[in-house]
């Protein structure tokens, strides 16, 4: 066991307790009643940064939830690393599917079960501890900044403005982020691409009040029937999205690149087994990895309307709703897509109903070059801990703020994620292996070593 | 003012207070936690029947909610009338759309606002008071039975068995029911046809757990997307239901009958205004009244799945659900339709999901001849109170037990309904005009007069 491993091992208990204190704060950003929790967790991150040795750490106001900014300046000749993470988490419903209390972490079979265990409290906390270790042992050869936000899970609506207003303060050579997954514990990988996102809520209104489905059924358009037909039209039988102009800006990946992607390990039987499906489904002509990595997607994230309680209530409801999202690939502009969808969805609505489309949030996709110093430092760090060169990988997920950083601050991000597919982030029973925390922490420490050398 | 009118007028306050006591009991049959309320309301109806002069009244157990049976035997030469009504009501959600407490009746502008004000507490209570008036004044020339059930709104699952077990007790010449509407306060009508009903819940399961819509979106079938496509396929662009065999047993109404139906007053602009729609929609080639009166319909009564809370949660959900109903016309067998739908819905499911279809309840349609003595007695009664001959009318609604009465007991029902279209039964802000109660009560009293004469 090397010096770093010994240190982590000796302090693991203490580290986990500190992480658990973060998890216990139910900082759900999409539910406004958790507003106070956002301030509680910001204060706790601030306390941790100061305890780790930051020169300063502050809770900054935005129009939405607060941002925590911290910094340690050592030497003008050192490169500057800015760590980005988020303090907010996804909602926990359906609560009845959780086997443990989502905000009371429990370690079962080496995994921490809790909302935020991975995404992103566990992963962001690694960075605080890596920073602390390097500083306390006089090994830090970088200046370090921390930028922790409270609205990532709702699309970071206020962080771009914060970046615009604080360009000078947020100057850095690279942004370091752990908010992604690696292929497997034995197959380290670095995320080099992210999808963008556009997300809408739609409301279909038929009659002005709920009607008796006997007295009116057959003579009045039912908004649920209509919504189903409208959603059905958005994709065709080959998994193509039918919104006119939707694919216009999609960059067609070359056969060479697709060939490289095909070399990433993938076992369809295991994939299907992991998520309990009989058959995969997606855009015709593309593999599963391509469907999530380099192609956009269309998903209804939620739908509701009419009677949803126990038993059989006959009603012809007044309204039906859906939450609809598309994942976008780099070069697709979510603002343009937001308009395309709205116009198309409204245009296919029959005259029997009124349709209202609200664009809730969006973000651009992102591509990270693999020839920049930070990527190479990260590559070496993984090599040291995992004994293998990490695979560059395009993720299907979105971190809208990553492309905003590039646009506003002109800084690339390096995505060193230590999550695993089976962590069930955003789902009931989110969990994260303690081993990934330990190995991730060690890898980050090495990253600073290699990056500081340059 | 005649003697009956004077009597009603003098006692109106007292009658309304008694009716309100029924309404205040939240006897929602589809929600099991209201089980106790079903016994409370049964006891109250029993008390009212005994007070009105019934020889006996009893609360009878069934496998579900209790039934109240009451009777008054006067003379073996008199015809026997059995009054049928129901003590249960529909759920009240969405509660936030109610302007008053649904279980605390309020009279506003001459209307009683409350769940059950019309359907069926208000209307069934008229019969108790008509019976009481005739009996106390020595005017009753019929034997009278009362059969009040507690599961009409969930399809009367246990009343057929109760009828089968009590055939002798339930012998009667006619069943008298007030659970329908008339065209307008100035246009009395008698319902001569009812639609049948088949009602299912469907569950579509994709992955075994909710997935991150970024990491999996595009590669895994989304159960909401799939459910929308499946529902969309159930009807075509002309409003036809596409279930193979669905129309096989539908009796094609003759051009002559359709011509008679077309003479019923109908103003499309007023109809659209009443329910707040721009355009009507239904099966091509049929009028609005035909679409609800003589043709079947397909309505999704409820749909849910994924994230339905505040804001934008990105998720590829594991499950999506819908509550689906079809209204059927006389001669369509709901049991056969239940199977046809199940088989068809399962057959169109893609291999990417699992589909479960549960038939929740159903009932046959009904037709009442207009040449039987009871219909003619009713016709004369309306003539006396409303000054006009009532229009025979086919309703789009279903009272599954009415056809079961005919099947099991061999007794026809006469549907003297005093509701109005604008009463919003099954919806928030259900209401019923006090004037309809008063006129209905008087009409029923005359019905006994004319029917007893025979």
């Amino acid at each position: 066991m090397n010096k770093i491993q010994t240190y982590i091992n000796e302090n693991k208990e203490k580290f986990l307790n500190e992480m658990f204190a973060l998890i216990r704060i139910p900082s759900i950003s999409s539910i406004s009643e958790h507003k106070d929790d956002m301030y509680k967790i910001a204060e706790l991150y601030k306390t941790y940064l100061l305890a780790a040795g930051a020169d300063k750490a502050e809770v900054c106001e935005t129009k939405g939830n607060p941002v925590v900014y911290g910094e340690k300046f050592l030497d003008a000749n050192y490169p500057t690393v800015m760590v980005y993470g988020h303090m907010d988490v996804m909602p926990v419903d359906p609560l009845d599917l959780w086997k443990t209390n989502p905000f009371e972490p429990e370690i079962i079979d080496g995994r921490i079960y809790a909302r935020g265990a991975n995404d992103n409290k566990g992963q962001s906390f690694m960075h605080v501890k890596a920073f602390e270790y390097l500083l306390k042992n006089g090994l830090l050869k970088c200046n370090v900044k921390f930028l922790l936000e409270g609205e990532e899970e709702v699309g970071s609506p206020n962080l771009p403005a914060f970046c615009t207003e604080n360009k000078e303060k947020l100057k850095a050579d690279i942004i370091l982020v752990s908010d992604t997954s690696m292929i497997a514990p034995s197959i380290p990988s670095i995320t080099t691409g992210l999808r963008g996102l556009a997300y809408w809520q739609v409301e279909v209104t038929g009659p002005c009040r709920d009607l008796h489905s006997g007295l009116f059924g057959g003579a009045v358009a039912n908004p649920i029937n209509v919504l189903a037909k409208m959603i059905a039209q958005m994709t065709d039988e080959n998994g193509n999205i039918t919104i006119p102009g939707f694919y216009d800006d999609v960059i067609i990946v070359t056969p060479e690149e697709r060939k490289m992607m095909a070399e990433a390990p993938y076992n369809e039987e295991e994939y299907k087994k992991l998520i309990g499906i009989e058959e995969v489904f997606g855009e015709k002509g593309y593999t599963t990895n391509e469907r999530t990595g380099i192609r956009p997607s269309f998903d209804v994230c939620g739908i509701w309307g009419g009677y949803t309680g126990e038993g059989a209530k006959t009603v012809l409801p007044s309204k039906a709703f859906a939450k609809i999202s598309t994942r976008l690939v780099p070069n697709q502009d979510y603002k343009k897509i937001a308009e395309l969808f709205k116009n198309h969805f409204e245009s296919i609505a029959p005259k029997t109903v009124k349709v209202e489309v609200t664009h809730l949030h969006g973000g651009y996709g992102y591509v990270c070059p693999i020839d920049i110093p930070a990527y190479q430092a990260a590559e070496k760090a993984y090599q040291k801990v995992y004994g293998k060169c990490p695979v560059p990988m395009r993720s299907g997920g979105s971190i809208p703020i990553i492309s905003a950083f590039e646009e506003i601050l002109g800084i690339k991000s390096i995505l060193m994620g230590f999550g695993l597919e089976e962590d069930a982030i955003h789902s009931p029973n989110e969990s994260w292996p303690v081993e990934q925390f330990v190995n991730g922490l060690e890898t980050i420490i090495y990253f600073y070593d290699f990056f500081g050398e340059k």
Side-chain angles (χ1 to χ4, degrees), chain A:
Chain A
M1 208 177 268
N2 66 32
K3 200 185 146 199
I4 301 171
Q5 286 164 345
T6 305
Y7 171 82
I8 296 173
N9 208 42
E10 281 169 357
N11 289 281
K12 201 161 73 176
E13 213 52 33
K14 180 175 159 282
F15 290 172
L16 288 174
N17 282 335
E18 288 175 15
M19 187 204 297
F20 289 2
L22 292 171
I23 290 172
R24 284 191 189 102
I25 301 169
S27 51
I28 303 171
S29 50
S30 67
I31 300 175
S32 48
E33 69 191 45
H34 288 286
K35 188 90 188 172
D36 286 353
D37 293 316
M38 298 314 309
Y39 283 90
K40 276 186 206 154
I41 199 156
E43 287 297 333
L44 188 54
Y45 269 103
K46 175 184 158 183
T47 305
Y48 285 175
L49 287 174
L50 291 172
D55 295 331
K56 69 168 185 180
E58 56 197 20
V59 176
C60 311
E61 290 293 332
T62 72
K63 278 186 187 166
N65 292 333
V67 157
V68 170
Y69 173 78
E71 64 175 38
K72 180 74 193 179
F73 178 79
L74 288 172
D75 190 319
N77 291 319
Y78 286 174
T80 301
V81 173
M82 182 159 73
V83 174
Y84 164 77
H86 64 91
M87 307 178 287
D88 62 320
V89 294
M90 275 288 184
V92 294
D93 61 289
L95 193 57
D96 58 333
L97 294 184
W98 283 81
K99 287 165 194 161
T100 62
N101 179 336
F103 295 111
E104 186 46 61
E106 284 184 41
I107 297 177
I108 303 167
D109 296 336
R111 284 184 162 267
I112 306 156
Y113 282 83
R115 171 59 83 232
N118 163 334
D119 181 18
N120 177 246
K121 291 174 181 176
Q123 293 217 60
S124 65
F125 181 71
M126 284 186 305
H127 287 270
V128 180
K129 294 293 118 179
F131 168 65
E132 183 179 75
Y133 171 83
L134 289 160
L135 203 56
K136 299 216 162 151
N137 290 284
L139 300 169
L140 193 58
K141 296 281 178 286
C142 299
N143 302 307
V144 180
K145 297 177 177 180
F146 275 85
L147 177 65
L148 302 165
E149 72 150 316
E151 299 182 322
E152 197 271 342
E153 298 294 9
V154 290
S156 308
N158 296 297
L159 199 56
F162 183 84
C163 291
T164 304
E165 289 155 18
N166 294 280
K167 272 187 189 172
E168 196 57 33
K169 193 184 211 172
L170 301 177
K171 267 191 172 170
D173 294 287
I174 194 75
I175 296 170
L176 190 58
V177 186
S178 293
D179 196 20
T180 49
S181 291
M182 47 193 255
I183 293 170
S186 60
I187 310 167
S189 58
I190 297 175
T191 301
T192 55
L194 291 169
R195 288 199 285 187
L197 174 73
Y199 194 110
W200 306 264
Q201 181 161 318
V202 301
E203 177 179 333
V204 177
T205 306
C208 58
R209 57 179 172 84
D210 286 3
L211 300 178
H212 188 291
S213 72
L215 303 183
F216 294 91
V220 176
N222 177 320
I224 304 180
N225 294 32
V226 172
L227 177 60
K229 277 189 188 281
M230 291 175 72
I231 290 170
Q233 286 175 60
M234 303 308 292
T235 54
D236 68 17
E237 69 281 11
N238 293 323
N240 292 117
I241 297 159
T242 56
I243 303 164
F246 184 85
Y247 290 99
D248 281 1
D249 300 326
V250 171
I251 290 168
I252 303 302
V253 174
T254 63
E256 290 72 28
E257 273 185 83
R258 290 177 68 182
K259 204 178 159 199
M260 277 175 65
M261 285 184 72
E263 282 162 18
Y266 170 73
N267 180 317
E268 190 149 292
E269 289 313 310
E270 274 175 23
Y271 182 87
K272 291 194 289 188
K273 205 172 151 192
L274 181 70
I275 56 177
I277 58 171
E278 292 290 322
E279 298 287 345
V280 296
F281 177 77
E283 195 181 351
K284 205 174 167 176
Y286 292 92
T287 66
T288 289
N289 282 334
E290 289 171 345
R291 285 166 177 171
T292 59
I294 60 170
R295 301 297 295 174
S297 62
F298 179 93
D299 275 291
V300 184
C301 296
I303 194 165
W304 69 103
Y307 183 67
T308 59
E310 189 190 344
K313 181 183 169 181
T314 55
V315 63
L316 196 169
S318 169
K319 285 175 186 290
F321 302 84
K323 292 186 189 265
I324 293 174
S325 87
T326 56
R327 295 285 169 167
L328 308 173
V329 292
N331 203 47
Q332 277 186 299
D333 180 345
Y334 75 88
K335 290 172 188 163
K336 183 179 162 187
I337 296 293
E339 281 303 300
L340 286 179
F341 171 81
K342 184 178 162 71
N343 293 340
H344 180 59
F345 202 74
E346 286 172 355
S347 78
I348 64 171
K351 278 186 190 162
T352 53
V353 297
K354 288 176 206 76
V355 169
E356 205 179 308
V357 176
T358 310
H359 181 231
L360 292 186
H361 83 87
Y364 293 100
Y366 173 74
V367 177
C368 175
I370 61 173
D371 56 2
I372 58 173
Y375 186 88
Q376 287 161 349
E379 215 169 29
K380 284 187 211 163
Y382 279 94
Q383 179 79 45
K384 249 185 115 76
V385 176
Y386 288 89
K388 277 180 196 170
C389 186
V391 178
M393 189 182 73
R394 290 226 190 175
S395 162
S398 308
I399 315 179
I401 198 63
I402 299 298
S403 42
F405 287 150
E406 188 169 18
E407 207 185 330
I408 301 166
L409 304 172
I411 315 173
K412 281 281 182 191
S413 295
I414 177 96
L415 304 173
M416 298 176 67
F418 297 92
L420 295 173
E421 200 164 80
E422 57 268 37
D423 294 348
I425 63 167
H426 293 202
S427 299
N429 305 309
E430 175 177 347
S431 67
W432 197 40
V434 175
E435 199 188 355
Q436 286 297 101
F437 169 70
V438 168
N439 291 341
L441 175 46
E442 191 183 353
T443 309
I444 292 165
I445 291 170
Y446 283 122
F447 168 82
Y448 281 97
D449 263 7
F450 291 120
F451 191 58
E453 271 176 4
K454 78 164 185 180

